[in-house]
Amino acid sequence: METQKEYDMEPIIQRAADLGIMLECLHEVYGAEEAQLLSGKSLQSTMAYPFIKMIEAQCKSLPSKKLHQILWVIYRKEKKICFY
């Protein structure tokens, strides 16, 4: 029999897993559309935008533009460190 505490944690765990999947997908999209994003193409016209909006829904304190700026910097730094 589940306790109330275990039941309350389930949605939190699910959201964390969903966020991880969204971040993985965004990483792949950043790789595929890197040239377009570097050229100054509007974020809204790329495949990265839907993932940014989904992540924004999970991280309500950050607007999509700021969220993209932060995640793009992380992606670029990671790319310089990893040689794959």
Short mmCIF file of all heavy atoms in Angstrom, two decimals, residues 52-81:
data_model
loop_
_atom_site.label_atom_id
_atom_site.label_comp_id
_atom_site.label_asym_id
_atom_site.label_seq_id
_atom_site.Cartn_x
_atom_site.Cartn_y
_atom_site.Cartn_z
N ILE A 52 12.25 24.82 -26.48
CA ILE A 52 12.44 25.93 -25.54
C ILE A 52 11.11 26.26 -24.86
O ILE A 52 11.06 26.47 -23.64
CB ILE A 52 13.01 27.18 -26.26
CG1 ILE A 52 14.44 26.92 -26.74
CG2 ILE A 52 12.93 28.41 -25.38
CD1 ILE A 52 15.46 26.82 -25.63
N LYS A 53 10.03 26.29 -25.61
CA LYS A 53 8.71 26.59 -25.03
C LYS A 53 8.28 25.49 -24.05
O LYS A 53 7.69 25.80 -23.01
CB LYS A 53 7.66 26.77 -26.13
CG LYS A 53 7.86 28.00 -26.99
CD LYS A 53 7.88 29.28 -26.19
CE LYS A 53 6.52 29.70 -25.73
NZ LYS A 53 6.50 30.97 -24.97
N MET A 54 8.56 24.24 -24.36
CA MET A 54 8.21 23.16 -23.44
C MET A 54 9.02 23.26 -22.15
O MET A 54 8.50 23.05 -21.05
CB MET A 54 8.42 21.80 -24.10
CG MET A 54 7.39 21.45 -25.14
SD MET A 54 7.56 19.77 -25.76
CE MET A 54 8.93 19.95 -26.91
N ILE A 55 10.30 23.58 -22.28
CA ILE A 55 11.15 23.74 -21.11
C ILE A 55 10.71 24.96 -20.32
O ILE A 55 10.69 24.94 -19.08
CB ILE A 55 12.64 23.83 -21.53
CG1 ILE A 55 13.08 22.49 -22.15
CG2 ILE A 55 13.52 24.20 -20.34
CD1 ILE A 55 14.40 22.55 -22.87
N GLU A 56 10.33 26.03 -21.01
CA GLU A 56 9.84 27.24 -20.34
C GLU A 56 8.63 26.91 -19.47
O GLU A 56 8.48 27.44 -18.35
CB GLU A 56 9.48 28.30 -21.37
CG GLU A 56 8.91 29.57 -20.76
CD GLU A 56 8.38 30.53 -21.80
OE1 GLU A 56 7.87 30.08 -22.85
OE2 GLU A 56 8.48 31.74 -21.56
N ALA A 57 7.76 26.03 -19.94
CA ALA A 57 6.57 25.64 -19.16
C ALA A 57 6.96 24.94 -17.86
O ALA A 57 6.25 25.04 -16.87
CB ALA A 57 5.68 24.74 -20.01
N GLN A 58 8.11 24.27 -17.87
CA GLN A 58 8.59 23.60 -16.65
C GLN A 58 9.35 24.56 -15.74
O GLN A 58 9.39 24.36 -14.53
CB GLN A 58 9.51 22.43 -17.02
CG GLN A 58 8.86 21.35 -17.83
CD GLN A 58 7.89 20.54 -17.02
OE1 GLN A 58 8.09 20.31 -15.84
NE2 GLN A 58 6.81 20.12 -17.64
N CYS A 59 9.99 25.58 -16.34
CA CYS A 59 10.81 26.54 -15.58
C CYS A 59 10.15 27.90 -15.68
O CYS A 59 10.63 28.79 -16.38
CB CYS A 59 12.21 26.60 -16.16
SG CYS A 59 13.02 25.02 -16.30
N LYS A 60 9.07 28.09 -15.01
CA LYS A 60 8.21 29.26 -15.19
C LYS A 60 8.88 30.59 -14.84
O LYS A 60 8.39 31.63 -15.22
CB LYS A 60 6.94 29.08 -14.38
CG LYS A 60 6.13 27.94 -14.90
CD LYS A 60 4.89 27.73 -14.10
CE LYS A 60 4.20 26.61 -14.69
NZ LYS A 60 3.38 25.81 -14.59
N SER A 61 9.99 30.57 -14.15
CA SER A 61 10.62 31.83 -13.74
C SER A 61 11.48 32.44 -14.86
O SER A 61 11.91 33.58 -14.73
CB SER A 61 11.46 31.62 -12.49
OG SER A 61 12.51 30.71 -12.76
N LEU A 62 11.72 31.69 -15.94
CA LEU A 62 12.55 32.20 -17.03
C LEU A 62 11.76 32.31 -18.32
O LEU A 62 11.16 31.33 -18.76
CB LEU A 62 13.75 31.27 -17.27
CG LEU A 62 14.84 31.25 -16.22
CD1 LEU A 62 15.82 30.14 -16.50
CD2 LEU A 62 15.55 32.58 -16.17
N PRO A 63 11.79 33.48 -18.97
CA PRO A 63 11.13 33.60 -20.28
C PRO A 63 11.94 32.84 -21.34
O PRO A 63 13.14 32.59 -21.17
CB PRO A 63 11.13 35.10 -20.55
CG PRO A 63 12.21 35.66 -19.69
CD PRO A 63 12.35 34.74 -18.51
N SER A 64 11.30 32.47 -22.42
CA SER A 64 11.93 31.63 -23.44
C SER A 64 13.21 32.24 -24.00
O SER A 64 14.18 31.51 -24.24
CB SER A 64 10.94 31.31 -24.56
OG SER A 64 10.48 32.49 -25.18
N LYS A 65 13.23 33.54 -24.23
CA LYS A 65 14.42 34.17 -24.80
C LYS A 65 15.63 34.01 -23.87
O LYS A 65 16.72 33.63 -24.31
CB LYS A 65 14.17 35.65 -25.08
CG LYS A 65 15.30 36.33 -25.79
CD LYS A 65 14.94 37.77 -26.14
CE LYS A 65 16.10 38.44 -26.86
NZ LYS A 65 15.76 39.79 -27.26
N LYS A 66 15.44 34.27 -22.59
CA LYS A 66 16.52 34.14 -21.61
C LYS A 66 16.92 32.68 -21.45
O LYS A 66 18.10 32.35 -21.36
CB LYS A 66 16.08 34.74 -20.27
CG LYS A 66 17.13 34.71 -19.22
CD LYS A 66 18.29 35.62 -19.59
CE LYS A 66 19.30 35.68 -18.46
NZ LYS A 66 20.51 36.38 -18.83
N LEU A 67 15.95 31.80 -21.44
CA LEU A 67 16.20 30.37 -21.32
C LEU A 67 17.07 29.89 -22.49
O LEU A 67 18.05 29.17 -22.29
CB LEU A 67 14.87 29.62 -21.29
CG LEU A 67 14.88 28.17 -20.94
CD1 LEU A 67 15.52 27.92 -19.58
CD2 LEU A 67 13.46 27.63 -20.94
N HIS A 68 16.73 30.33 -23.70
CA HIS A 68 17.52 29.96 -24.88
C HIS A 68 18.95 30.49 -24.75
O HIS A 68 19.90 29.78 -25.06
CB HIS A 68 16.87 30.49 -26.15
CG HIS A 68 17.76 30.44 -27.34
ND1 HIS A 68 18.23 29.26 -27.88
CD2 HIS A 68 18.29 31.43 -28.09
CE1 HIS A 68 19.00 29.53 -28.92
NE2 HIS A 68 19.05 30.84 -29.06
N GLN A 69 19.11 31.73 -24.32
CA GLN A 69 20.44 32.30 -24.18
C GLN A 69 21.29 31.46 -23.23
O GLN A 69 22.45 31.17 -23.52
CB GLN A 69 20.37 33.74 -23.67
CG GLN A 69 19.82 34.71 -24.68
CD GLN A 69 19.55 36.08 -24.07
OE1 GLN A 69 19.47 36.25 -22.86
NE2 GLN A 69 19.39 37.07 -24.93
N ILE A 70 20.73 31.08 -22.11
CA ILE A 70 21.46 30.29 -21.12
C ILE A 70 21.81 28.91 -21.68
O ILE A 70 22.97 28.48 -21.60
CB ILE A 70 20.62 30.15 -19.83
CG1 ILE A 70 20.49 31.50 -19.13
CG2 ILE A 70 21.24 29.11 -18.88
CD1 ILE A 70 19.44 31.52 -18.03
N LEU A 71 20.82 28.24 -22.25
CA LEU A 71 21.05 26.88 -22.76
C LEU A 71 21.99 26.88 -23.97
O LEU A 71 22.78 25.95 -24.13
CB LEU A 71 19.72 26.21 -23.09
CG LEU A 71 18.84 25.94 -21.88
CD1 LEU A 71 17.46 25.44 -22.31
CD2 LEU A 71 19.50 24.95 -20.93
N TRP A 72 21.94 27.92 -24.79
CA TRP A 72 22.82 28.01 -25.95
C TRP A 72 24.28 28.17 -25.50
O TRP A 72 25.18 27.53 -26.04
CB TRP A 72 22.39 29.16 -26.85
CG TRP A 72 23.24 29.31 -28.07
CD1 TRP A 72 24.10 30.32 -28.36
CD2 TRP A 72 23.31 28.41 -29.20
NE1 TRP A 72 24.69 30.12 -29.57
CE2 TRP A 72 24.23 28.95 -30.11
CE3 TRP A 72 22.69 27.22 -29.51
CZ2 TRP A 72 24.55 28.33 -31.31
CZ3 TRP A 72 23.01 26.60 -30.70
CH2 TRP A 72 23.92 27.15 -31.58
N VAL A 73 24.51 28.99 -24.49
CA VAL A 73 25.87 29.17 -23.96
C VAL A 73 26.39 27.84 -23.40
O VAL A 73 27.53 27.45 -23.66
CB VAL A 73 25.91 30.28 -22.88
CG1 VAL A 73 27.22 30.27 -22.11
CG2 VAL A 73 25.69 31.64 -23.52
N ILE A 74 25.55 27.13 -22.66
CA ILE A 74 25.94 25.83 -22.11
C ILE A 74 26.26 24.86 -23.24
O ILE A 74 27.28 24.16 -23.20
CB ILE A 74 24.83 25.26 -21.20
CG1 ILE A 74 24.71 26.12 -19.94
CG2 ILE A 74 25.11 23.81 -20.84
CD1 ILE A 74 23.49 25.82 -19.10
N TYR A 75 25.43 24.83 -24.28
CA TYR A 75 25.66 23.95 -25.42
C TYR A 75 27.00 24.25 -26.08
O TYR A 75 27.79 23.37 -26.36
CB TYR A 75 24.52 24.07 -26.43
CG TYR A 75 24.83 23.39 -27.74
CD1 TYR A 75 24.70 22.01 -27.86
CD2 TYR A 75 25.26 24.11 -28.85
CE1 TYR A 75 25.00 21.38 -29.06
CE2 TYR A 75 25.56 23.49 -30.04
CZ TYR A 75 25.43 22.12 -30.14
OH TYR A 75 25.75 21.49 -31.31
N ARG A 76 27.26 25.53 -26.33
CA ARG A 76 28.50 25.92 -27.01
C ARG A 76 29.74 25.59 -26.17
O ARG A 76 30.74 25.14 -26.69
CB ARG A 76 28.48 27.41 -27.35
CG ARG A 76 27.37 27.83 -28.31
CD ARG A 76 27.56 27.33 -29.70
NE ARG A 76 28.73 28.03 -30.23
CZ ARG A 76 29.45 27.58 -31.24
NH1 ARG A 76 29.13 26.47 -31.83
NH2 ARG A 76 30.49 28.23 -31.67
N LYS A 77 29.67 25.82 -24.86
CA LYS A 77 30.80 25.49 -23.99
C LYS A 77 31.03 23.98 -23.95
O LYS A 77 32.16 23.53 -24.00
CB LYS A 77 30.55 26.02 -22.57
CG LYS A 77 30.76 27.49 -22.44
CD LYS A 77 30.55 27.96 -21.01
CE LYS A 77 30.73 29.46 -20.91
NZ LYS A 77 30.48 29.95 -19.55
N GLU A 78 29.95 23.21 -23.88
CA GLU A 78 30.07 21.77 -23.85
C GLU A 78 30.68 21.25 -25.14
O GLU A 78 31.50 20.34 -25.13
CB GLU A 78 28.69 21.14 -23.63
CG GLU A 78 28.75 19.62 -23.58
CD GLU A 78 27.37 19.01 -23.52
OE1 GLU A 78 26.80 18.76 -24.59
OE2 GLU A 78 26.89 18.79 -22.40
N LYS A 79 30.30 21.84 -26.24
CA LYS A 79 30.82 21.42 -27.53
C LYS A 79 32.34 21.63 -27.62
O LYS A 79 33.05 20.83 -28.20
CB LYS A 79 30.12 22.17 -28.66
CG LYS A 79 30.48 21.66 -30.01
CD LYS A 79 29.69 22.32 -31.09
CE LYS A 79 30.17 21.77 -32.41
NZ LYS A 79 29.77 22.55 -33.52
N LYS A 80 32.83 22.71 -27.03
CA LYS A 80 34.27 22.98 -27.04
C LYS A 80 35.03 21.99 -26.17
O LYS A 80 36.17 21.67 -26.46
CB LYS A 80 34.54 24.41 -26.54
CG LYS A 80 34.12 25.46 -27.52
CD LYS A 80 34.39 26.84 -26.98
CE LYS A 80 33.90 27.89 -27.95
NZ LYS A 80 34.09 29.24 -27.44
N ILE A 81 34.39 21.50 -25.11
CA ILE A 81 35.05 20.57 -24.19
C ILE A 81 35.06 19.16 -24.75
O ILE A 81 36.05 18.44 -24.66
CB ILE A 81 34.36 20.58 -22.81
CG1 ILE A 81 34.55 21.96 -22.16
CG2 ILE A 81 34.88 19.48 -21.91
CD1 ILE A 81 33.73 22.17 -20.91
#
